[in-house]
Amino acid sequence: MARNRLTPNRHLPFGDRQEAPFYGKDILGVGQFRRADLHDVFGVAHEMREMVARVGSFDLLKGKILANLFYEPSTRTMSSFTAAMERLGGSVIPISEVHYSSVAKGESLPDTVRTLECYADVIVLRHPSLGAAAEAARYARKPVINAGDGPGEHPTQALLDLFTIHEELGTVDGLTVTMLGDLKYGRTVHSLARLLCQYDVQLRFVSPDSLRLPEKVKAELDEAGIRYEETEALDDVLGQSDVLYVTRVQKERFDDLAHYESVKGAYVIDRDTMSRAKPNMVLMHPLPRVGEIAMEVDDDPRAAYFRQMEYGLYVRMALLAMVLGKA
Ligand code: ASP
């Protein structure tokens, strides 16, 4: 976040910075979150869940405005940020059709965020370029939340994924988490793998050879001392997996559509696959799915992808409240 003389007074309404480490901060990548921070976010997310169950909406962020700036398609991230803000009593400027905004006239990202921050208190940004959220944050005085920067990161998704694992299995330590599909371009995988470095986990990566996890992410796992294995065959690791995190092949990131066609149907999770999985395995997917999980699996109690979306609402409510100094 850029600082200049218009930077708002950061005097906290309660306590000191120690107690509100995310107040006024950008959320750009999962590297910002230590284990104690995750504990805080999840504690607030639990409170949000209870409040939503009890009263639906409440006025914690009354008068606050969120700008939802999406240069790439989104269903869940955009609508859950909108719902999160509105359930907290705030309101939203939605810019999801950037081609109807001044972006279509050639306006740069820095100018667009400098415009929106005149009207909003926080900006949620999804953009096709790696590093776009960090670039926006350099120019913005208000907090920027990265809602996906191309093949880079998707930190709020990883937070809700981790929350899901915790809610479903009661713990994260000691688990074997398997990630499957497009590990090269799948930003949710990059963020979740990095976030899991805070825990005592083992990771398994299953993908076609051409879609393996980037070396940079693997180097971070090595540095954190995380044990992991890579394979092309799900059956090598299915039986030992406590979590199976399935991803879509990210068609929009491929230069060569023939390559996409050759890998898109590489894995399909169906009833037969689930019959070989642990009885309490959690099956997750950031969604949208485009054939990687057969609909026949949806009724399996281990299929957590719809619950995962709901957890996302509470985690995003928590993040908004924390960034805006109200949690
Ligand atoms: N919705 C997720 C993302 O934006 C996953 C996906 O699109 O495959 O990264």
Side-chain angles (χ1 to χ4, degrees):
M1 186 166 45
R3 302 264 181 247
N4 65 22
R5 64 202 166 83
L6 288 177
T7 299
N9 181 352
R10 304 228 162 220
H11 176 70
L12 290 175
F14 54 86
D16 57 20
R17 275 199 97 73
Q18 289 301 82
E19 291 169 42
F22 289 96
Y23 176 48
K25 291 278 177 66
D26 306 306
I27 296 180
L28 302 177
V30 291
Q32 291 169 251
F33 293 85
R34 301 273 74 86
R35 215 168 143 149
D37 301 320
L38 297 169
H39 192 259
D40 288 350
V41 173
F42 296 162
V44 179
H46 275 130
E47 285 172 29
M48 296 299 179
R49 185 183 190 175
E50 270 170 39
M51 287 298 281
V52 170
R54 218 162 351 123
V55 294
S57 302
F58 47 106
D59 276 348
L60 193 68
L61 296 184
K62 189 170 166 40
K64 299 288 183 192
I65 298 178
L66 157 73
N68 242 349
L69 178 59
F70 279 69
Y71 289 72
E72 275 191 339
S74 170
T75 301
R76 274 150 292 272
T77 306
M78 191 176 56
S79 54
S80 64
F81 266 115
T82 301
M85 197 63 186
E86 292 187 355
R87 284 190 181 276
L88 290 168
S91 48
V92 179
I93 302 173
I95 305 197
S96 47
E97 294 285 353
V98 285
H99 36 278
Y100 293 127
S101 73
S102 286
V103 170
K105 300 179 188 168
E107 186 162 71
S108 67
L109 179 62
D111 282 3
T112 303
V113 299
R114 280 186 290 217
T115 305
L116 289 173
E117 70 176 358
C118 297
Y119 314 131
D121 301 288
V122 54
I123 298 171
V124 171
L125 173 70
R126 170 168 292 182
H127 197 281
S129 306
L130 199 154
E135 188 197 356
R138 273 199 298 282
Y139 291 93
R141 290 173 286 115
K142 305 278 175 68
V144 172
I145 299 179
N146 181 4
D149 60 332
E153 280 223 32
H154 194 345
T156 67
Q157 176 74 45
L159 290 167
L160 78 88
D161 291 340
L162 190 65
F163 186 69
T164 302
I165 295 172
H166 195 269
E167 293 305 286
E168 296 283 317
L169 291 173
T171 183
V172 178
D173 284 322
L175 299 180
T176 297
V177 179
T178 296
M179 303 192 192
L180 168 109
D182 185 348
L183 310 183
K184 178 178 180 184
Y185 297 120
R187 56 196 174 197
T188 68
V189 166
H190 304 163
S191 289
L192 182 58
R194 287 176 166 129
L195 203 52
L196 286 169
C197 288
Q198 306 277 340
Y199 293 84
D200 174 21
V201 291
Q202 294 208 33
L203 301 181
R204 304 285 179 261
F205 298 111
V206 184
S207 71
D209 188 50
S210 59
L211 298 180
R212 285 164 70 158
L213 195 70
E215 292 303 323
K216 187 168 182 289
V217 183
K218 281 192 268 182
E220 290 176 40
L221 299 178
D222 288 334
E223 200 177 321
I226 297 289
R227 283 162 296 166
Y228 65 87
E229 285 170 23
E230 297 177 277
T231 175
E232 282 188 58
L234 175 59
D235 276 337
D236 289 350
V237 297
L238 179 63
Q240 36 175 288
S241 305
D242 299 298
V243 175
L244 178 58
Y245 188 92
V246 181
T247 63
R248 163 182 79 91
V249 178
Q250 308 276 300
K251 183 178 183 183
E252 64 275 33
R253 313 269 178 242
F254 284 70
D255 297 325
D256 175 7
L257 269 189
H259 178 204
Y260 167 74
E261 292 296 334
S262 71
V263 288
K264 71 171 188 200
Y267 307 97
V268 178
I269 307 302
D270 56 15
R271 273 205 194 120
D272 180 54
T273 320
M274 294 304 281
S275 72
R276 286 175 279 118
K278 282 190 177 182
N280 63 342
M281 187 191 78
V282 176
L283 179 63
M284 297 172 62
H285 193 307
L287 302 175
R289 62 175 156 180
V290 286
E292 314 79 37
I293 300 180
M295 281 178 69
E296 65 183 25
V297 174
D298 294 356
D299 292 335
D300 189 311
R302 294 169 289 181
Y305 31 93
F306 299 129
R307 296 191 291 276
Q308 192 178 345
M309 291 191 279
E310 186 185 328
Y311 294 133
L313 172 68
Y314 310 129
V315 169
R316 289 179 172 133
M317 287 174 80
L319 290 171
L320 289 173
M322 292 172 94
V323 162
L324 292 171
K326 296 286 185 184

